[in-house]
Amino acid sequence: MSHTPITSFQEIETEWQSVLQDSPADTLFLTPQWQKVWWDTFGEGQTMCGFSYPVDDGVVAIASLAKSGNTISFMGSQDTFDYNDFLIRLGYEEGFYQTLLECMENQDFQNLCLFSLRDTSPTLELFPDMARKMGYTVEIEEEDVTSGIALPGTWDEYLALLNKKDRHELRRKLRRMDSQSDWKWYSLSEPTQVAERLSEFISLMRQSRADKDEFMTPERERFFSNITQRMAELGQLHLYFLDMDGSTVATSLCFDYGGSRLLYNSGYDPEYGYFSVGLLLNAMCLKDAIEQGLDYFDFLRGPEPYKAHLGGQQRSLYQMVVTKS
């Protein structure tokens, strides 16, 4: 079967967007814009080895892959992409996987690492057997969990979805804030405003947890700066802040894509931990999503307890390693 190597994101952007919209794997992380920013920030030392898969009526699948040493993997990384997969229009899966295996035969590599696959992915369902039949070893393991909640039409209906204890706790925390402080929350989405306040977001993120402080290397900081600018330009970003008695004490970075709001990262000042300012601001992001008429609130990867307290339903993410025997 034919395939066309991908050498730049721009030249295939139109076909890419079209396949993405028709693919069950459709997510912000698989847009050519997100991938380009990632590649420009982290791509050094790797080579692009992805391809598009055309049939008579145009491109029906995209494999966005990069090679480093003798390993081929999805473009992206687990710490900056919450979901990953191949983009395939329904009905073309088997032809595409077959072509992928043929391409792999011609590549000098040892491992194909496919990470951050959602539990519903056809790649998990169909690809392992096809690869094993061609003599590859396939190992699949749980990589992480992710959670989210389908949004109802109103905040009251949302509260009714929570279990009794979580609903009571959330209302109690909101009442405590109202009675003991002068607080407000707001969001910025315009590129210049976002750029001006990004350092505050990063500072609160670092303060909130030791692992977030370690995560924020200079390279990742550059990625955050570039991705927030690009997404703000596309009108898909909301940077939230919570101010209490005149000080900014919590922040959340959200992206809106395809009817969903994705809570990408957040932070707060631990001195205000008593007021649960981090959880309350995330609840306000969710409330705002309901008011904007969005369908789904995605807490993204990680097992943090606050996600369950706000109604998140947990699901597994998997990674698959295909090895030449």
Side-chain angles (χ1 to χ4, degrees), residues 200-313:
E200 277 177 81
F201 163 80
I202 288 172
S203 164
L204 284 162
M205 194 178 142
R206 281 181 186 280
Q207 285 175 53
S208 60
R209 280 199 339 229
D211 60 332
K212 289 194 178 193
D213 186 34
E214 285 165 30
F215 167 84
M216 202 42 96
T217 59
E219 201 176 29
R220 292 205 187 100
E221 197 164 323
R222 197 166 78 240
F223 175 73
F224 268 75
S225 172
N226 295 339
I227 204 72
T228 50
Q229 274 309 288
R230 189 71 188 98
M231 294 299 133
E233 287 162 12
L234 293 169
Q236 292 180 309
L237 175 144
H238 295 280
L239 182 57
Y240 289 87
F241 291 100
L242 190 156
D243 291 359
M244 199 172 164
D245 298 327
S247 302
T248 300
V249 298
T251 183
S252 297
L253 173 61
C254 294
F255 298 109
D256 287 356
Y257 180 82
S260 293
R261 174 156 296 167
L262 287 64
L263 176 61
Y264 191 63
N265 223 310
S266 58
Y268 66 93
D269 182 340
E271 284 189 24
Y272 292 84
Y274 165 76
F275 286 100
S276 309
V277 288
L279 177 127
L280 286 180
L281 181 56
N282 289 335
M284 294 304 100
C285 297
L286 193 149
K287 184 176 194 232
D288 188 43
I290 292 172
E291 286 165 4
Q292 302 290 324
L294 294 167
D295 304 321
Y296 191 77
F297 193 89
D298 198 329
F299 293 102
L300 297 175
R301 75 160 74 223
E304 296 87 348
Y306 80 84
K307 297 175 178 183
H309 295 320
L310 290 176
Q313 304 291 307

